């Protein structure tokens, strides 16, 4: 069993995985704030269920805000 995510990181329709900083090998660009997710920074990778091609690496705090926004909108 994979470790459960915090409830505030889960969003219906999306797969979310937490990436430990020690396992990151490159920099990514966060789709929310447009800033770099630095190498070595713990973050989350997110993709719509059934669409692996749309994997994006987010700052954890940016994804948390997105979850909050999405829940508020529904
Ligand atoms: Zn960000």
């Amino acid at each position: 069993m994979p470790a459960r995510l915090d409830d505030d990181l889960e969003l219906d329709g999306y797969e979310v995985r937490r990436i430990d900083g020690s396992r990151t090998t490159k920099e990514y660009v966060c789709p929310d704030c447009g800033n770099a997710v630095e190498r070595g920074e713990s973050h989350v990778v997110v993709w719509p269920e059934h669409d692996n091609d749309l994997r994006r690496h987010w700052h954890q705090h940016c994804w948390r805000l997105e979850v909050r926004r999405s829940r508020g909108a529904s």
Side-chain angles (χ1 to χ4, degrees):
M1 276 290 280
R4 260 185 69 80
L5 283 167
D6 300 339
D7 279 348
D8 63 353
L9 291 176
E10 290 184 11
L11 187 59
D12 282 351
Y14 289 86
E15 298 281 346
V16 182
R17 296 284 181 274
R18 203 170 353 209
I19 309 289
D20 188 76
S22 62
R23 287 167 47 213
T24 66
T25 54
K26 51 180 283 197
E27 266 190 26
Y28 301 96
V29 175
C30 173
D32 187 57
C33 67
N35 291 319
V37 180
E38 305 281 352
R39 201 180 324 179
E41 183 176 348
S42 296
H43 64 279
V44 293
V45 60
V46 178
W47 65 96
E49 281 172 10
H50 317 302
D51 203 348
N52 231 317
D53 291 344
L54 293 178
R55 285 167 64 100
R56 294 288 181 272
H57 294 256
W58 293 65
H59 293 117
Q60 206 158 289
H61 58 270
C62 289
W63 176 248
R64 190 173 280 133
L65 287 173
E66 173 72 10
V67 169
R68 218 170 276 167
R69 276 196 299 261
S70 299
R71 287 178 179 170
S74 62

